[in-house]
């Protein structure tokens, strides 16, 4: 698999167009939302689809759609129903905080993930599946898949060191070592079957911080300048493990239909014509692994050459980046008939005044239709 290398080295485009959010009809006032300067805005209008397509909707819904939980998730449900996807992949699919606050709620009061079955049925999905879930290690950010088609959970991924699952006397971060790189927010391989065809779906959510997992949970040295940048190593270790145990694993040889999607929390070389980082910038390393070792296709980049799409509403080190990706194997990529970032949420993306929380999320969704 080396076609990714050709794409990686060849796709450096000079033109720039960003489709950004232009929403009205909400009582809240839109504040200053960071966006690349001098770009056009365009609201997503078309919710229709061609007959005979499979529609996949991916979104990091920020703390279990924290923003809409005080409305019983009615706005969220209506948004999903509006686009009528066949498959949804949700990152950060657990309720954590009390409405309008950064105060953790009691486990018994959390609607998600336990409530996904019933909630998914409200927008027409009869099947749900949760991915690898490191709650035992104090992680609250699983991915959940909902679908109109039955879902088979093939693999749940959490620890890169199998000896840590389970520890006989309970998980203890201090029993790990400096080279400990777990798949921090978990991952999974789920499978659906559509019109007699199996489609493998890899879900993930890579580590978000500049420092490593070990620095946060063991050494507690997250502000140590010598540790800054280790987050890139953490993410690359995670994506390497995920790819090697899913798409690149010999046990799946001959299976052609693959999708991989999630919040990668880092940038891709295919967008570097826009970022203009040095060629060896470590922030590109995680996607470099994919481009150099698989033939996965970056759907959004290849469907919209020369255009940049932010999917994160903010970032500390410059303009908002594209952190969210949907990759496809060649056979699935060849079936793409529509691919876009959705910018027409029910309400403007507004900072809440609480830490980095935005409404309704600090990420934008990805919508892709495949001819099936």
């Amino acid at each position: 698999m080396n076609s990714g290398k050709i794409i990686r080295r060849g796709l450096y485009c000079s033109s720039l167009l960003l489709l950004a959010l232009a929403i009205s009809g909400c009582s809240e006032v839109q504040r200053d939302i960071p966006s690349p300067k001098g770009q056009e805005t365009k609201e997503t209008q078309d919710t229709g689809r061609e007959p005979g397509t499979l529609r996949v909707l991916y979104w990091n819904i920020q703390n279990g759609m924290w923003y809409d939980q005080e409305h019983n998730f009615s706005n969220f449900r209506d948004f999903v129903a509006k686009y009528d996807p066949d498959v949804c992949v949700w990152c950060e699919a657990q309720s954590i905080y009390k409405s309008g606050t950064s105060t953790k709620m009691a486990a018994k009061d959390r609607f998600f993930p336990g409530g996904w079955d019933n909630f998914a049925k409200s927008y027409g999905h009869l099947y749900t599946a949760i991915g690898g879930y490191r709650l035992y290690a104090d992680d609250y950010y699983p991915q959940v898949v909902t679908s109109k088609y039955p879902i088979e959970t093939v693999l749940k991924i959490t620890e890169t060191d199998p000896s840590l699952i389970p520890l006989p006397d309970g998980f203890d971060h201090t029993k790990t070592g400096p080279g400990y790189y777990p798949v921090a927010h978990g991952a999974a391989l789920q499978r659906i079957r559509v019109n007699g065809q199996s489609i493998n779906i890899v879900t993930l959510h890579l580590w978000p911080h500049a420092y490593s997992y070990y620095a946060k949970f063991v050494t507690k040295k997250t502000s140590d300048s010598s540790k800054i940048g280790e987050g890139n190593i953490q993410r690359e270790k995670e994506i390497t493990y995920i790819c090697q145990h899913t798409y690149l694993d010999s046990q799946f040889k001959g299976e052609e239909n693959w999708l991989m999607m999630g919040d990668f929390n880092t940038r891709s070389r295919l967008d570097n014509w826009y970022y203009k980082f040095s060629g060896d910038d470590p922030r590109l390393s995680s996607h470099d692994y994919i481009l150099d070792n698989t033939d996965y296709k970056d759907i959004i980049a290849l469907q919209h050459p020369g255009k940049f799409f932010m999917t994160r509403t903010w970032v500390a080190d410059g303009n908002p980046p594209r952190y969210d990706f949907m990759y496809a194997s060649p056979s699935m990529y060849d079936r793409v008939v529509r691919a876009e970032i959705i910018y027409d949420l029910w309400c403007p993306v507004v900072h809440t005044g609480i830490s980095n929380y935005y409404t309704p999320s600090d990420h934008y969704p990805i919508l892709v239709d495949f001819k099936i």
Side-chain angles (χ1 to χ4, degrees):
M1 296 181 176
N2 59 9
S3 60
K5 294 184 180 180
I6 298 172
I7 296 171
R8 170 182 163 186
R9 306 304 176 193
L11 188 62
Y12 288 89
C13 307
S14 60
S15 61
L16 175 61
L17 174 64
L18 170 66
L19 302 183
L21 182 65
I23 308 295
S24 60
C26 179
S27 60
E28 295 183 76
V29 176
Q30 186 166 352
R31 305 180 187 179
D32 293 333
I33 303 301
S35 60
K37 296 179 180 179
Q39 302 311 304
E40 298 178 13
T41 60
K42 182 178 179 182
E43 180 180 353
T44 304
Q45 299 285 351
D46 179 18
T47 62
R49 57 194 289 186
E50 294 184 17
T53 56
L54 177 77
R55 171 163 289 183
V56 180
L57 175 66
Y58 156 82
W59 194 11
N60 180 329
I61 57 173
Q62 191 187 36
N63 300 320
M65 191 46 67
W66 165 87
Y67 166 68
D68 205 39
Q69 66 185 6
E70 66 177 330
H71 307 294
N72 295 317
F73 306 101
S74 58
N75 296 298
F76 180 33
R77 181 193 62 240
D78 292 347
F79 168 77
V80 180
K82 174 182 177 181
Y83 284 92
D84 188 29
D86 300 296
V87 178
C88 295
V89 175
W90 310 118
C91 270
E92 299 195 15
Q94 172 166 289
S95 306
I96 305 175
Y97 303 106
K98 295 179 180 178
S99 295
T101 78
S102 57
T103 303
K104 286 187 177 180
M105 66 175 70
K108 64 179 178 61
D109 297 328
R110 294 173 183 163
F111 183 72
F112 294 135
W116 274 108
D117 283 346
N118 286 333
F119 182 70
K121 289 174 183 174
S122 74
Y123 57 77
H125 286 196
L126 299 180
Y127 305 97
T128 65
I130 190 168
Y133 192 21
R134 302 181 68 252
L135 189 58
Y136 58 85
D138 199 32
D139 182 69
Y140 299 90
Y141 300 99
Q143 303 105 56
V144 162
V145 178
T146 73
S147 173
K148 295 179 180 179
Y149 303 95
I151 307 168
E152 174 192 0
T153 299
V154 180
L155 180 65
K156 292 186 178 184
I157 297 173
T158 53
E159 298 297 338
T160 53
D161 180 353
S163 68
L164 295 175
I165 295 294
L167 289 178
D169 53 352
F171 189 86
D172 183 348
H173 284 101
T174 62
K175 293 182 179 179
T176 64
Y180 175 53
Y181 298 104
V183 180
H185 293 330
L189 171 55
Q190 315 281 9
R191 182 178 292 151
I192 62 171
R193 193 165 180 83
V194 183
N195 294 343
Q197 304 173 68
S198 292
I199 300 174
N200 293 318
I201 301 173
V202 179
T203 71
L204 58 85
H205 182 183
L206 301 185
W207 180 246
H209 300 297
Y211 44 83
S212 72
Y213 184 93
Y214 190 76
K216 177 176 182 178
F217 286 99
V218 183
T219 65
K220 312 292 185 182
K221 294 182 178 179
T222 58
S223 60
D224 184 346
S225 61
S226 68
K227 302 300 181 184
I228 299 301
E230 289 186 356
N232 295 310
I233 299 173
Q234 171 78 38
R235 283 181 283 277
E236 185 176 356
K237 295 284 188 180
E238 290 187 28
I239 193 61
T240 299
Y241 189 88
I242 291 167
C243 286
Q244 290 180 350
H245 287 78
T246 57
Y247 193 47
L248 297 177
D249 195 308
S250 60
Q251 69 175 305
F252 303 117
K253 185 177 181 180
E255 298 187 25
E256 296 184 346
N257 300 323
W258 290 79
L259 299 173
M260 181 173 70
M261 66 197 77
D263 177 0
F264 286 72
N265 273 309
T266 194
R267 300 161 176 85
S268 170
R269 188 172 299 274
L270 297 190
D271 292 330
N272 205 32
W273 58 270
Y274 170 71
Y275 298 130
K276 295 180 172 59
F277 297 150
S278 65
D280 60 353
D281 194 298
R283 286 172 289 186
L284 307 175
S285 65
S286 294
H287 288 284
D288 278 356
Y289 179 83
I290 300 168
L291 297 172
D292 285 347
N293 294 279
T294 82
D295 58 1
Y296 269 134
K297 309 298 184 185
D298 178 343
I299 296 174
I300 293 297
L302 298 181
Q303 287 289 307
H304 302 280
K307 298 179 182 179
F308 178 79
F309 299 87
M310 67 175 180
T311 65
R312 176 73 174 267
T313 60
W314 64 276
V315 74
D317 59 352
N319 284 325
R322 184 166 71 109
Y323 271 2
D324 303 83
F325 294 75
M326 189 183 299
Y327 283 97
S329 61
S331 66
M332 286 299 294
Y333 181 79
D334 289 344
R335 300 178 180 189
V336 173
V337 295
R338 174 183 181 174
E340 61 184 299
I341 308 301
I342 299 295
Y343 292 118
D344 68 342
L345 305 187
W346 62 83
C347 190
V349 173
V350 179
H351 188 261
T352 64
I354 300 173
S355 184
N356 294 322
Y357 297 9
Y358 287 76
T359 62
S361 174
D362 58 346
H363 290 257
Y364 295 106
I366 302 173
L367 183 75
V368 181
D369 291 348
F370 301 89
K371 196 74 174 178
I372 296 294

